[in-house]
C-alpha cells in the first residue's frame, strides 16, 4: 500500500449483512418486499404515514437483535489508531458503526434511532416505535414526527464535510455498496480525480467496480480486517 495519510471509507448495506441486517437490492432485499416510492419518499409518507412508520419501526426494532461484525470492529480499530485524517461515510441508517466504537463517522442518509418533528423542525433520539401519533419531545406536537432518514429526492446530510474529505484523501475505500445511488456512487470519481488510490471491497462487482484501482471480492467480515491490518502494520 503506497504512502497513505488521509482516508475516506464509504460503507453501504453490505457491511451490515453479516450482522443479519437485510440489504436493499439482493433477491431477499428490502426493495424486493417494499416499493421504494411507498416507503422511502416524502410523497409516500404523505400518502400513507402508517405504512412508512411500520417499515421503519420494524427496521428500528431489528437493531436490538443484531450486533456489529468483524468489519465494523476493524473500522473502529482503524478509527482509534489511524494518525492521519479518517472519515467513515456510511449510507447505512443502522447504529452498528457506533456500537463498534467508530467516532469519525457521518451518516449521510440519517439514522433509524433519530426522529424529526415537522411541526418544530426539532431532531432527537428515538429508539421506540414511532407510529403516526408520536409526540415530539421538543414541542409536544402529536402526529408530526417522522424518521430522521434521508428519502429519495431529499438532500443527504454532511455533503460539504464529505466533499472536503474526498478532496484531501489519498485512499478511498468503498465497502458493501452496489453503487446504485448518488451522490455516494460518484465519490470514487471525486477521490480518483483528486489523486487518491481507490479500493473496493464487495461480495460481487458493483456498478462502479470499473472505476476502482483495486477490487477485492469477498465478505466484508474477512476483507475489511485484512485491509485494516495492511494499513496498521507499518505503524
Ligand atoms: N460483504 C461485502 N459486501 C456485501 C455483503 C458482504 N457480506 N453482502 C452484500 N454485499 C454487497 C452486495 O453485493 C451489494 O453490492 O453489498 C451491496 C449492497 O447493495 P445495496 O443493497 O444496493 O445497498 P446500498 O449500496 O447500501 O444502497 C445504497 O440505496 O436504497 C438506498 O438509501 C438506501 O443507503 C441505501 C442506498
Amino acid at each position: 500500500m503506497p504512502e497513505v495519510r488521509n482516508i475516506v471509507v464509504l460503507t453501504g448495506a453490505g457491511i451490515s449483512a453479516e450482522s443479519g441486517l437485510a440489504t436493499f437490492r439482493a433477491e431477499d432485499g428490502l426493495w424486493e418486499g417494499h416499493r421504494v416510492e411507498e416507503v422511502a419518499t416524502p410523497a409516500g409518507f404523505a400518502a400513507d404515514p402508517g405504512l412508512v412508520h411500520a417499515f421503519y419501526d420494524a427496521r428500528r426494532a431489528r437493531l436490538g437483535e443484531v450486533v456489529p461484525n468483524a468489519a465494523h470492529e476493524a473500522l473502529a480499530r482503524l478509527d482509534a489508531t489511524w494518525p492521519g485524517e479518517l472519515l467513515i461515510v456510511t449510507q447505512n441508517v443502522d447504529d452498528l458503526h457506533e456500537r463498534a466504537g467508530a467516532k469519525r463517522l457521518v451518516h449521510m442518509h440519517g439514522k433509524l434511532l433519530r426522529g424529526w418533528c415537522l411541526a418544530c423542525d426539532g431532531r432527537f433520539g428515538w429508539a421506540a416505535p414511532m407510529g403516526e401519533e408520536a409526540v415530539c419531545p421538543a414541542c409536544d406536537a402529536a402526529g408530526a414526527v417522522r424518521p430522521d432518514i434521508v428519502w429519495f429526492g431529499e438532500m443527504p446530510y454532511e455533503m460539504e464535510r464529505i466533499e472536503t474529505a474526498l478532496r484531501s484523501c489519498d485512499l478511498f475505500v468503498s465497502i458493501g455498496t452496489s453503487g446504485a445511488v448518488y451522490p455516494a456512487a460518484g465519490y470514487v470519481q471525486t477521490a480518483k480525480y483528486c489523486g487518491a488510490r481507490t479500493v473496493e471491497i464487495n461480495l460481487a462487482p458493483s456498478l462502479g467496480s470499473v472505476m476502482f484501482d483495486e477490487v477485492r471480492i469477498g465478505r466484508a467480515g474477512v476483507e475489511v480486517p485484512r485491509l485494516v491490518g495492511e494499513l496498521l502494520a507499518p505503524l
Side-chain angles (χ1 to χ4, degrees), residues 82 227-235:
W82 189 252
L227 177 66
V228 168
E230 290 167 16
L231 288 167
L232 296 183
L235 297 189

Side-chain angles (χ1 to χ4, degrees), residues 1 7 9 15 70-82 86 88 171 173 175 199 201 216 220 222-235:
M1 186 73 66
I7 305 173
V9 179
I15 199 170
H72 298 106
E73 286 159 1
L75 288 184
R77 220 171 23 253
L78 180 67
D79 190 353
T81 320
W82 189 252
L86 169 75
I88 301 169
L171 177 64
V173 184
I175 303 167
V199 178
I201 290 174
R216 300 185 180 188
V222 171
E223 292 303 327
V224 177
R226 184 162 78 89
L227 177 66
V228 168
E230 290 167 16
L231 288 167
L232 296 183
L235 297 189

Side-chain angles (χ1 to χ4, degrees), residues 115-138:
W116 175 14
C117 176
L118 300 179
C120 71
D121 202 31
R123 295 168 201 254
F124 32 80
W126 196 282
M130 197 170 275
E132 291 185 69
E133 292 313 313
V135 175
C136 171

Side-chain angles (χ1 to χ4, degrees), residues 174-188:
S174 176
I175 303 167
T177 182
S178 60
V181 175
Y182 285 79
Y187 288 165
V188 56

Side-chain angles (χ1 to χ4, degrees), residues 166-170 189-196:
L166 287 168
R167 293 190 189 293
S168 64
C169 77
D170 32 52
Q189 287 165 296
T190 304
K192 205 172 175 68
Y193 179 75
C194 295

Side-chain angles (χ1 to χ4, degrees), residues 23-25 29-36 39-40 55-56 152:
T23 60
F24 291 95
R25 294 173 180 83
L30 286 167
W31 293 154
E32 289 311 306
H34 308 79
R35 285 172 46 77
V36 171
V39 294
F55 177 63
Y56 289 100
F152 287 94

